[in-house]
Amino acid sequence: NLRAAPSTDAEVVGKLEKGDQITLIGRTGDGTWYQTRVEGTAKPGWIFGKTLEIISGDPATLPVVEPSNP
């Protein structure tokens, strides 16, 4: 699930399927959630890091994003 904020309680704003490739644009300070922009959604969404397989780049270099209230 793609969420409005980095929390399992946040609204689901989209879905990803196994094998979908996305570009990460930010992260929470502790690196447990990542922000991405998915085609067809107006705002960036958040995805739980343990559900991802990062195939290139270093996620630690992503900017830390302070989530807004959904």
Side-chain angles (χ1 to χ4, degrees):
N1 289 329
L2 188 65
R3 303 219 176 238
S7 168
T8 55
D9 293 329
E11 174 188 4
V12 175
V13 295
K15 297 219 181 246
L16 298 173
E17 299 294 328
K18 185 174 183 170
D20 285 352
Q21 291 191 10
I22 58 173
T23 300
L24 303 177
I25 59 174
R27 64 183 175 91
T28 55
D30 62 5
T32 57
W33 287 83
Y34 294 97
Q35 190 179 48
T36 186
R37 187 173 303 277
V38 176
E39 189 173 330
T41 60
K43 296 181 180 179
W46 292 89
I47 189 161
F48 189 58
K50 289 188 178 186
T51 64
L52 298 175
E53 176 185 0
I54 297 175
I55 57 174
S56 69
D58 181 359
T61 63
L62 292 168
V64 173
V65 176
E66 293 296 328
S68 59
N69 292 329

